[in-house]
Amino acid sequence: MSQSTLNDDELFGEAASEMREDVEESLAEAWDELPDPDDVWETDADNVLGVLNGLRSALDVGDAEDHLRDAKKWFTMGQRADAFDDADDLEAELEDLEEVIEDISSAGEQVGELTSTIPGLRSTLEEAAGDDDEDEE
């Protein structure tokens, strides 16, 4: 098919289809980057700090945020160009993915706080136990 046989509507339809595919592909890549549920749930650590460090590492979303950004960029462009016949499914998936990433990031921050708090707490408890031992003597 020569380029002269394509009219503007056909070209726009083709571009809209490609834009939707780009959004869907970026969404799929973002979902794939999310942590594996078993990595978040299971551990081989010997102590609480090891568990927390493992969990913090497991809660890394990798490049999911970058893929989400790409999906949102192409989605916004497509919406503003009125290129999508029905974009409700894409919009809902974008919102779902964004919420999941926010939840994972929030959990990671909480685990990070615990990771930095637990060693100090242990030291405090060891000192308190040492004080108790001295008082008993």
Side-chain angles (χ1 to χ4, degrees), residues 71-135:
K72 288 173 88 171
K73 176 177 59 178
W74 291 115
F75 177 77
T76 301
M77 177 101 76
Q79 257 192 332
R80 288 187 182 167
D82 199 24
F84 304 130
D85 291 332
D86 179 22
D88 291 344
D89 61 326
L90 293 177
E91 189 169 21
E93 188 173 357
L94 282 165
E95 290 171 5
D96 290 346
L97 179 59
E98 189 167 28
E99 187 175 309
V100 169
I101 290 173
E102 286 174 6
D103 288 348
I104 293 168
S105 295
S106 175
E109 289 172 13
Q110 292 172 20
V111 170
E113 289 174 18
L114 278 173
T115 302
S116 64
T117 302
I118 294 297
L121 178 59
R122 179 178 185 211
S123 294
T124 300
L125 292 171
E126 286 174 340
E127 289 173 13
D131 290 345
D132 285 346
D133 291 341
E134 290 175 12
D135 290 344

Side-chain angles (χ1 to χ4, degrees), residues 5 8 39 42 56 64 80 83 124 126:
T5 62
D8 288 344
D39 292 343
E42 297 174 4
R56 186 174 55 180
R80 288 187 182 167
T124 300
E126 286 174 340

Side-chain angles (χ1 to χ4, degrees), residues 58-69:
L59 291 171
D60 180 12
V61 295
D63 291 334
E65 291 174 309
D66 292 338
H67 294 301
L68 174 62
R69 181 178 171 77

Side-chain angles (χ1 to χ4, degrees), residues 9-69:
D9 288 340
E10 289 172 330
L11 290 173
F12 185 80
E14 187 177 315
S17 178
E18 289 174 8
M19 198 172 299
R20 183 178 182 89
E21 288 173 16
D22 286 342
V23 172
E24 290 171 346
E25 183 178 312
S26 292
L27 285 168
E29 289 172 352
W31 285 113
D32 287 345
E33 284 291 321
L34 295 179
D36 184 270
D38 289 340
D39 292 343
V40 173
W41 190 252
E42 297 174 4
T43 186
D44 293 327
D46 295 329
N47 58 47
V48 172
L49 190 57
V51 169
L52 291 172
N53 281 326
L55 181 56
R56 186 174 55 180
S57 293
L59 291 171
D60 180 12
V61 295
D63 291 334
E65 291 174 309
D66 292 338
H67 294 301
L68 174 62
R69 181 178 171 77

